[in-house]
Amino acid sequence: MNYQTGAQEENQVQNQNHPKKYLNYINGEWVPSVSGKFTVNVNPANGEVIGEVPQSTKEDVDLAVAAAKAAQKSWRLVPAPERAEILYEVGRLLKERKESLSQILTLEMGKVIAEARGEVQEAIDMAYYMAGEGRRLFGDTVPSELRNKFAMSVRVPVGVAGLITPWNFPIAIASWKSLPALVAGNAVVWKPASETPFMAAEFVKIYEEAGLPKGLINLVFGSGGVVGNAIVDHPDVDIVSFTGSNEVGRQINERAGGMLKRTSLEMGGKNAVTVMEDADLDLAVDGIIWSAFGTAGQRCTACSRIIVHEAVKEELERKLLERIAKLKIGNGLDESVDVGPVINRSALEKIDEYVKIGVKEGATLLCGGEILSNGELAKGHYYTPTLFTDVTPSMTIAQEEIFGPVTSIIPVKNLDEAIKVNNGVEFGLSSSIFSRDVNRVFQAMRDLDTGIVYVNAGTTGAEIHLPFGGTKGTGNGHRDSGVAALDVFTEWKSVYVDYSGTLQRAQIDNK
Ligand code: NAP
């Protein structure tokens, strides 16, 4: 076994045949769990065991939180521009290792290598962007209503931030959360998804090498039920930032709510692309293929509904089928592959179950609907890109998040109906409209009830300097990414300085 302690040099990918063993990172040390137990990490492309990580316990979380709490006491006093210097170095190291990180990402998560490179780039961009925030972290200076009085607001850190992240964007989402948390003066305890532990360890190694003082980032591997809950329940964790499923997000909200603990929840989506009869259909097909089948449909922003004007439905179906037939399925490390595996066997079965429900409820299956079980692909978890048509808005496949390469055409008569169908789900993450009519586009921008709206592009492709998140069941009003992320990881403090030498009473002495 090859132990990765954090000090060892890169390139994991050179050694793919040797399973890796990573440790937790607590108070600046790479340590095993107090349980002494490990769990395996499996490559979804071929079922091979690629390594092991600790199966941690509540005691490990207690140690991590204690380290974070102690370290945060002095970190909050470090000037933010000085904190940001470390983030610049994190960005530089991420950039230097972009290729090896991308290879590891594909190895453990399965997304095709071009997308993995894009994801690592997102973390690089976020590091530089949040480093810049070290010289901003703006508050307001406002005129006082009284003479000889000064009034301003400043951002202060919340304290210890518990981060719980999913496997589908293992480094991008971790960067959206950890970088703003740290630049704002918080300490971090992070539980990554069990499916993607290597990216987490590699990211933490970069923080370590960039010179982040010990205790400020702590990594605890383990299950959601044990490690995740221990973070949520810990009285010294001041804020929990979670991205994942609705089911788990709701549970976290309930547990944390009882303690009046702040939670930032980014959850599922049921995103739709609307195609009007005046749209550039080839462009719409490009957007749909990328959004529905990229990352094998496992993006929170995946296009899982296509709301199409009935006048162009048949033409769109034909063009989509032509393109789907050309998609190459396989191991994401092969540069020519378009669609990689899904994350694990249970995801594969869940997707297949949804497809069966779609057929049973009367949708027309145009293509796909199969688990690939031939040759080499049988060793991994591959599902054929699947297209349904004549789906009605209330069908299960039009309402629930499938999280696989499955999308459904829903015909409509006009824009009002399209918007109604778009909004008629419990989620509100991303939506898109293809149209050349500026009036329609502006109406859609106003009325689509989602946190992200695209015009003449698919439902994916967020940039890091704008807020990321959704309405309704997708979230609880917070946003990742962009300057909005700072609102999650800071408290507002309003400061009044009265230099009049007398007692002045607001709302009384100025009238
Ligand atoms: P998940 O099963 O909810 O897991 C997310 C994280 O929560 C993992 O680290 C998981 O740990 C942990 N967890 C599980 N049970 C827990 C519990 N009882 N208490 C505390 N933590 C717990 O979601 P996923 O399958 O990883 O990710 C897919 C979902 O994420 C989809 O619904 C997708 O739409 C959503 N997502 C949303 C966004 C967004 O920004 N809105 C972005 C990406 C993904 P284990 O891995 O150990 O189970």
Side-chain angles (χ1 to χ4, degrees):
M1 279 291 175
N2 177 9
Y3 268 82
Q4 301 296 317
T5 60
Q8 290 180 19
E9 201 18 52
E10 291 307 293
N11 190 345
Q12 312 294 322
V13 204
Q14 307 291 319
N15 275 323
Q16 276 172 24
N17 295 331
H18 302 286
K20 310 291 182 299
K21 197 165 192 169
Y22 286 90
L23 301 178
N24 288 336
Y25 186 70
I26 297 176
N27 204 21
E29 304 287 333
W30 295 89
V31 290
S33 161
V34 298
S35 76
K37 293 182 185 160
F38 286 82
T39 48
V40 294
N41 188 13
V42 174
N43 178 351
N46 56 22
E48 277 175 15
V49 171
I50 52 176
E52 290 184 318
V53 293
Q55 195 178 330
S56 308
T57 64
K58 179 181 172 304
E59 286 70 37
D60 297 303
V61 173
D62 289 344
L63 292 169
V65 175
K69 192 177 177 188
Q72 199 265 337
K73 283 199 171 74
S74 46
W75 183 241
R76 76 183 179 92
L77 302 176
V78 174
E82 202 178 313
R83 298 197 289 252
E85 289 300 321
I86 294 170
L87 270 62
Y88 280 118
E89 183 60 7
V90 168
R92 193 191 67 74
L93 288 166
L94 284 167
K95 195 169 176 182
E96 192 177 277
R97 294 176 196 174
K98 180 174 172 181
E99 186 55 28
S100 61
L101 290 169
S102 306
Q103 299 269 337
I104 296 166
L105 205 170
T106 296
L107 187 71
E108 72 173 350
M109 187 273 160
K111 67 175 64 175
V112 300
I113 187 70
E115 292 182 38
R117 291 183 187 120
E119 179 175 345
V120 176
Q121 186 60 45
E122 210 166 317
I124 297 167
D125 295 342
M126 194 68 189
Y128 289 131
Y129 175 69
M130 276 299 155
E133 281 305 315
R135 289 196 178 269
R136 288 186 289 265
L137 284 174
F138 293 141
D140 292 324
T141 306
V142 296
S144 168
E145 61 191 40
L146 293 164
R147 288 167 191 259
N148 298 322
K149 192 176 171 193
F150 185 85
M152 65 180 171
S153 63
V154 292
R155 289 185 186 273
V156 294
V158 181
V160 174
L163 311 184
I164 302 176
T165 53
W167 47 264
N168 68 335
F169 281 91
I171 192 161
I173 290 174
S175 79
W176 294 353
K177 296 182 189 298
S178 61
L179 292 157
L182 289 165
V183 82
N186 302 280
V188 165
V189 176
W190 175 22
K191 190 213 101 59
S194 297
E195 299 286 1
T196 48
F198 288 5
M199 284 315 286
E202 293 298 326
F203 194 19
V204 169
K205 275 166 70 178
I206 284 177
Y207 273 118
E208 180 185 44
E209 288 174 50
L212 189 71
K214 67 177 192 172
L216 288 173
I217 193 157
N218 301 275
L219 178 66
V220 186
F221 294 112
S223 73
V226 176
V227 174
N229 278 337
I231 290 174
V232 175
D233 291 344
H234 201 295
D236 289 335
V237 172
D238 302 288
I239 182 232
V240 176
S241 177
F242 165 84
T243 297
S245 62
N246 276 58
E247 189 192 352
V248 174
R250 276 174 207 275
Q251 285 173 30
I252 289 176
N253 212 28
E254 279 165 22
R255 293 177 88 100
M259 303 166 78
L260 294 182
K261 189 176 288 193
R262 185 189 295 205
T263 57
S264 166
L265 308 170
E266 295 296 341
M267 299 172 286
K270 189 69 189 173
N271 317 289
V273 166
T274 290
V275 183
M276 297 307 296
E277 76 278 27
D278 63 349
D280 176 339
L281 283 193
D282 291 322
L283 182 62
V285 167
D286 285 344
I288 291 166
I289 295 286
W290 172 240
S291 299
F293 305 120
T295 321
Q298 302 167 108
R299 296 181 188 138
C300 51
T301 52
C303 163
S304 61
R305 295 179 296 156
I306 304 161
I307 302 168
V308 61
H309 192 285
E310 58 188 10
V312 289
K313 173 179 168 267
E314 275 178 30
E315 195 180 350
L316 187 73
E317 282 171 5
R318 186 178 49 73
K319 284 176 184 278
L320 280 170
L321 284 172
E322 274 169 25
R323 286 289 296 281
I324 292 170
K326 290 185 189 144
L327 292 174
K328 183 172 172 191
I329 304 170
N331 188 325
L333 287 171
D334 175 344
E335 302 270 355
S336 67
V337 160
D338 301 299
V339 183
V342 300
I343 192 69
N344 54 33
R345 184 75 205 175
S346 80
L348 200 60
E349 285 166 3
K350 182 179 153 206
I351 294 161
D352 199 46
E353 191 58 32
Y354 270 116
V355 170
K356 290 195 172 89
I357 291 170
V359 172
K360 199 169 154 205
E361 291 185 2
T364 306
L365 183 62
L366 287 179
C367 69
E370 280 173 70
I371 293 175
L372 284 175
S373 51
N374 292 333
E376 274 300 294
L377 294 187
K379 294 181 188 160
H381 313 300
Y382 297 92
Y383 206 82
T384 48
T386 301
L387 180 64
F388 278 107
T389 193
D390 296 325
V391 172
T392 60
S394 61
M395 284 181 183
T396 306
I397 54 169
Q399 287 290 325
E400 296 182 13
E401 187 181 42
I402 299 173
F403 227 54
V406 178
T407 191
S408 297
I409 293 177
I410 306 173
V412 292
K413 291 187 169 48
N414 53 46
L415 180 62
D416 286 341
E417 190 185 349
I419 289 171
K420 192 170 164 207
V421 170
N422 182 89
N423 295 348
V425 291
E426 69 165 296
F427 304 100
L429 185 53
S430 182
S431 57
S432 130
I433 179 163
F434 283 84
S435 170
R436 291 169 164 128
D437 179 336
V438 69
N439 295 353
R440 283 173 159 175
V441 163
F442 269 82
Q443 185 190 337
M445 282 158 55
R446 185 192 62 197
D447 294 340
L448 291 170
D449 187 4
T450 51
I452 305 166
V453 173
Y454 291 90
V455 176
N456 293 328
T459 48
T460 63
E463 300 185 28
I464 57 94
H465 44 298
L466 280 182
F468 187 95
T471 60
K472 301 190 286 186
T474 293
N476 65 340
H478 294 284
R479 292 290 185 271
D480 272 343
S481 202
V483 79
L486 294 172
D487 294 333
V488 172
F489 295 107
T490 56
E491 295 277 9
W492 282 114
K493 185 178 279 187
S494 298
V495 182
Y496 302 95
V497 183
D498 192 320
Y499 54 99
S500 69
T502 57
L503 176 66
Q504 300 194 85
R505 297 168 301 174
Q507 293 95 35
I508 296 175
D509 291 339
N510 62 345
K511 296 293 174 226

